[in-house]
Amino acid sequence: MNTFNATLITRKWALLLAAVFVGPNAMAQGIGLSTKSPVHRVALVELYSSEGCNSCPPADAWLAKIGSEVSPELVVPLALHVDYWDSLGWKDRFGDHAFTLRQRALADYANSKVVYTPEVFAGGRELRRWNTPGEARNVLQQITSQISSVDIGIKVTSNAANGAGSYKLTARATNNASGDSKQPQNAYIAVYQNKLVSKVAAGENGGVTLHHEYVVRRWLGPFALKGGTVTIQQNIALDSFGGDIPANQFGIVTFVQNATTGEVQQVARLALGR
């Protein structure tokens, strides 16, 4: 890493410790938004959670705190609700079997057959001691101190012809590595929603009102990088997630993962309407 980039990243983490972070590069009202990844790696933090698990609310709160205090140029959080708790007293309305499969795939990369909630992955690797003071910060700093060979750009434009809550998404990922350093890579897109509230009526969290942030509502991919690049275009209809919901509750995440090792090599996040 050159001196300029090392200094830049160190300064950003100094701001993290002071809890002074700015939001993503986005214009108001969710129209004509765009962003791109920085030179250094961004850490993707994946929390595997369930409303049926009474150990999960503290992890949900931890993830929300990261999202509110840390710049998306350093860390991008996502909450993926699994479905293997659904038969144990409470069906999680955000649970998706695709997220269970994703969690198992990440465990497979580490030759592990064990998955559980809450489980956290950072950069595609398990972060078992996420709730130990300093542990998560050290791991995330290590990820973001590295230069990434992948560039990601996201652009979202209003698609008013299909309704007020309709958007056209274009994401492009490019691997700038040369020669033998290129390995198979896949791009993924996640649409997340904030400010979600559930009143749980049964199961381990029965009688508890849960608050969720960065909950993945739509998962797209894998999209293979061919010749070192991929361009993805999708239509996103926000009303498909449950009525007239303000755009500023949503965001788009695009990331690239090494298909051989499972390492998440780069991430970009674009918040709508912020």
Side-chain angles (χ1 to χ4, degrees):
M1 181 189 307
N2 62 46
T3 303
F4 174 79
N5 285 326
T7 302
L8 175 62
I9 295 170
T10 300
R11 288 176 178 173
K12 285 181 176 179
W13 277 104
L15 291 176
L16 166 60
L17 297 177
V20 182
F21 276 88
V22 298
N25 175 25
M27 294 159 42
Q29 300 180 354
I31 300 175
L33 306 175
S34 65
T35 194
K36 61 181 181 179
S37 57
V39 173
H40 60 83
R41 283 181 69 193
V42 177
L44 180 68
V45 175
E46 300 173 63
L47 167 63
Y48 289 86
S49 183
S50 174
E51 290 187 339
C53 161
N54 64 5
S55 299
C56 288
D60 294 335
W62 173 82
L63 191 79
K65 183 176 175 63
I66 287 178
S68 67
E69 293 184 352
V70 185
S71 166
E73 288 195 349
L74 290 172
V75 179
V76 170
L78 289 177
L80 298 96
H81 287 224
V82 298
D83 66 347
Y84 50 81
W85 279 86
D86 286 359
S87 61
L88 301 175
W90 178 255
K91 182 176 174 58
D92 189 335
R93 62 191 175 114
F94 307 118
D96 193 317
H97 190 61
F99 304 153
T100 299
L101 295 178
R102 165 89 182 156
Q103 184 183 20
R104 289 174 179 168
L106 290 175
D108 284 345
Y109 280 116
N111 296 316
S112 172
K113 300 301 180 183
V114 178
V115 295
Y116 58 94
T117 57
E119 185 174 23
V120 175
F121 291 84
R125 302 287 185 263
E126 186 181 17
L127 180 58
R128 185 174 289 272
R129 299 174 62 190
W130 57 268
N131 58 348
T132 300
E135 180 76 11
R137 183 180 66 246
N138 291 339
V139 171
L140 298 177
Q141 281 183 314
Q142 183 179 20
I143 293 172
T144 59
S145 67
Q146 302 170 21
I147 300 301
S148 176
S149 64
V150 176
D151 292 328
I152 297 174
I154 306 174
K155 182 179 180 180
V156 174
T157 56
S158 176
N159 192 2
N162 290 343
S166 181
Y167 297 87
K168 180 180 178 180
L169 164 68
T170 301
R172 181 177 177 84
T174 302
N175 178 12
N176 298 307
S178 60
D180 295 337
S181 60
K182 284 189 176 182
Q183 292 183 327
Q185 294 172 308
N186 292 319
Y188 295 82
I189 292 174
V191 180
Y192 69 81
Q193 184 178 357
N194 288 328
K195 301 180 181 178
L196 290 163
V197 179
S198 291
K199 295 182 179 180
V200 180
E204 289 190 358
N205 288 315
V208 177
T209 298
L210 300 178
H211 298 266
H212 305 302
E213 304 288 335
Y214 305 101
V215 176
V216 178
R217 304 303 308 277
R218 186 175 178 187
W219 182 265
L220 302 168
F223 303 95
L225 273 67
K226 298 179 180 180
T229 188
V230 66
T231 299
I232 306 159
Q233 292 186 324
Q234 294 284 328
N235 291 318
I236 306 295
L238 300 186
D239 57 6
S240 67
F241 301 115
D244 186 15
I245 306 173
N248 62 10
Q249 291 187 16
F250 293 91
I252 308 292
V253 172
T254 301
F255 68 91
V256 171
Q257 183 177 29
N258 185 309
T260 301
T261 67
E263 181 181 62
V264 176
Q265 298 176 302
Q266 190 56 295
V267 193
R269 183 186 107 188
L270 179 62
L272 301 182
R274 288 188 178 181

